[in-house]
Amino acid sequence: MLVVVPTYRRLDCLQWTLVSLMLAELPSSRKERLLVCIANNHPGSRDKTHMVVDEVKARFAYLPWEWHFLDRKETLPPIDSWYSAIRDVAEKDEVILLQGDDDLFTPWSVTVRYSECSQSGADLLLSRSLHGLIYLSSHEVYFPQQFPPHTEGSHSRVLDWGEINGWGPAFIGNHCYRNTSAFQAGIERAFTWCEGQDWLDHNTRTLMLPYYLPYAVKLMGGNLRCLDSHCVIRGRSLEEIVVSPYGVPGWNSGFLAICAYGVLSGRDLKEIRALDSARSEQAKMGAEWFFTFFVDKRIPNEVVKNTLQRIRLPISAQFRFLQLMSIRRVVVDKLGFTAWRLRRRAVRASILTSDLLYSLMRRDPVETRS
């Protein structure tokens, strides 16, 4: 089994992620190696990243995990860094987990996904995730949800076209791969869809590749399955949320939704009527963010213009209303209400140290500190 952890300057969060992996249960019947690949995409953080990883390695030296570093000599577009790591390190038919450097593994995450991928012959397996984890510091987090129980003995099933969008495929933590010819063909087809939006720069047009990948694997005849188990807790740094436009670092979510609508409406997928709901959801999200496109400095105005000309969104009273309401999103962001609301919520909530969080994940009888 290969676990790829791409990282870019999130040293505090990375430690949480790696510790959660070390605390995860390991499959008892595995035949594969256990390898963690750290794909560091920020050359300036190389030494500090190695220090964080070395501390975790030393703490859990008794476990059978092996470690491998990919230190980029120059920063690559995120998608290129993630999937080239898989291409360069994964063995044939190996089970692969791709995990963000600010997301946590649940205790059963590794075992259930490895078992289901291996036993079902899945080329790509989607699972559930929990959201809302916010890093307040290197030692404390805010998490508003209750941890759901893990259902023992749950099994995967084949995922139909119309269901894919509901499984959050844009989030890489929901993905588990097996390095098969069908998986590789799916990656190639998904990259082809990205490159078809050639008026966008390479980074922007490839950012939604994880979302496209399940569709591409299924289109190429692969075994696409889903497992109804919460395997990852998605995290975000409070400081990143505060300084990022609309609370989303790196990109504009609504703009990427329009790109996804374009791919779902493209030549390969447009005749699949079961995808009408997914197309509608992406178009709706694009409408809900519409006016942010014109004030978000991360998107050049010429790019917005070209995109809206090439990808025609539905025209209806509902979508016009949603576009109008997107002005509210702009105002809320400009006034700083998003950051204020999150800080206020975190102060009022139970704050968890790393030990307390991991204990709750394991269902240990502990109390949180308020």
Side-chain angles (χ1 to χ4, degrees):
M1 172 185 286
L2 171 65
V3 180
V4 176
V5 182
T7 186
Y8 184 84
R9 299 179 63 182
R10 290 183 177 137
L11 299 177
D12 291 338
C13 301
L14 175 63
Q15 183 175 14
W16 287 72
T17 298
L18 296 180
V19 170
S20 73
L21 174 60
M22 296 298 101
L23 294 176
E25 303 162 1
L26 296 179
S28 57
S29 59
R30 74 182 190 280
K31 298 179 181 179
E32 300 178 1
R33 62 182 179 174
L34 289 172
L35 179 65
V36 184
C37 174
I38 307 297
N40 176 34
N41 203 23
H42 185 255
S45 299
R46 180 189 181 280
D47 292 343
K48 292 181 179 179
T49 301
H50 278 251
M51 287 179 59
V52 169
V53 175
D54 287 344
E55 288 179 7
V56 176
K57 286 171 60 178
R59 179 178 171 187
F60 295 95
Y62 59 90
L63 292 175
W65 287 102
E66 302 173 44
W67 297 80
H68 178 76
F69 277 96
L70 280 178
D71 289 307
R72 306 301 187 188
K73 294 182 179 180
E74 59 182 27
T75 298
L76 302 177
I79 298 299
D80 290 353
S81 181
W82 304 351
Y83 287 96
S84 66
I86 293 175
R87 180 198 65 208
D88 295 341
V89 180
E91 296 178 345
K92 183 180 179 181
D93 291 330
E94 187 169 29
V95 174
I96 305 161
L97 302 180
L98 182 60
Q99 183 87 351
D101 59 0
D102 53 358
D103 304 318
L104 303 183
F105 294 88
T106 56
W108 53 86
S109 172
V110 174
T111 297
V112 298
R113 290 191 286 177
Y114 174 83
S115 298
E116 282 303 316
C117 239
S118 301
Q119 294 172 13
S120 68
D123 299 296
L124 194 158
L125 176 74
L126 292 176
S127 54
R128 303 290 190 187
S129 56
L130 294 168
H131 296 246
L133 179 71
I134 298 177
Y135 295 93
L136 305 177
S137 69
S138 61
H139 304 292
E140 294 183 325
V141 296
Y142 156 62
F143 187 64
Q145 298 194 41
Q146 295 293 321
F147 291 98
H150 170 55
T151 304
E152 296 287 346
S154 58
H155 296 290
S156 65
R157 62 176 178 82
V158 173
L159 195 55
D160 293 329
W161 284 109
E163 300 177 287
I164 298 173
N165 188 66
W167 283 80
F171 175 45
I172 60 172
N174 289 347
H175 290 216
C176 177
Y177 310 130
R178 205 161 52 87
N179 194 26
T180 60
S181 57
F183 169 67
Q184 294 295 339
I187 289 182
E188 185 176 345
R189 181 57 60 95
F191 266 112
T192 298
W193 293 341
C194 294
E195 295 306 320
Q197 297 180 340
D198 56 5
W199 66 93
L200 302 172
D201 67 86
H202 178 77
N203 180 49
T204 302
R205 65 177 177 252
T206 57
L207 278 172
M208 285 294 275
L209 183 135
Y211 178 82
Y212 308 146
L213 190 50
Y215 296 100
V217 167
K218 191 169 183 67
L219 185 71
M220 303 308 291
N223 185 3
L224 175 65
R225 304 182 72 88
C226 60
L227 177 66
D228 196 8
S229 178
H230 292 84
C231 293
V232 173
I233 303 173
R234 189 170 189 176
R236 295 189 297 167
S237 163
L238 178 61
E239 291 309 312
E240 281 191 11
I241 297 171
V242 168
V243 302
S244 301
Y246 315 105
V248 182
W251 58 81
N252 182 298
S253 298
F255 185 79
L256 294 183
I258 292 181
C259 296
Y261 175 82
V263 167
L264 294 177
S265 303
R267 181 180 60 188
D268 285 346
L269 301 176
K270 66 180 180 181
E271 300 301 328
I272 303 175
R273 297 270 60 89
L275 297 184
D276 285 348
S277 176
R279 282 186 277 266
S280 178
E281 286 297 315
Q282 296 300 332
K284 178 182 176 182
M285 185 172 179
E288 290 172 340
W289 286 69
F290 184 76
F291 277 101
T292 70
F293 306 157
F294 303 98
V295 294
D296 192 333
K297 296 180 180 179
R298 296 173 295 187
I299 317 174
N301 289 335
E302 190 64 25
V303 171
V304 174
K305 178 182 176 182
N306 286 339
T307 302
L308 295 177
Q309 286 177 344
R310 293 168 182 258
I311 302 176
R312 297 291 184 176
L313 293 175
I315 299 176
S316 68
Q318 178 192 15
F319 280 98
R320 292 302 186 197
F321 175 75
L322 291 174
Q323 288 176 340
L324 185 62
M325 290 300 294
S326 69
I327 297 175
R328 178 178 179 273
R329 189 181 299 273
V330 174
V331 173
V332 167
D333 183 72
K334 292 299 182 185
L335 294 179
F337 285 160
T338 300
W340 173 82
R341 186 166 57 237
L342 279 172
R343 289 185 186 278
R344 186 166 177 264
R345 193 181 300 166
V347 168
R348 289 183 169 186
S350 293
I351 307 302
L352 307 175
T353 63
S354 57
D355 289 341
L356 286 173
L357 178 65
Y358 298 138
S359 294
L360 285 174
M361 290 166 62
R362 294 191 303 264
R363 299 297 195 280
D364 294 344
V366 298
E367 295 181 0
T368 62
R369 176 177 64 81
S370 298

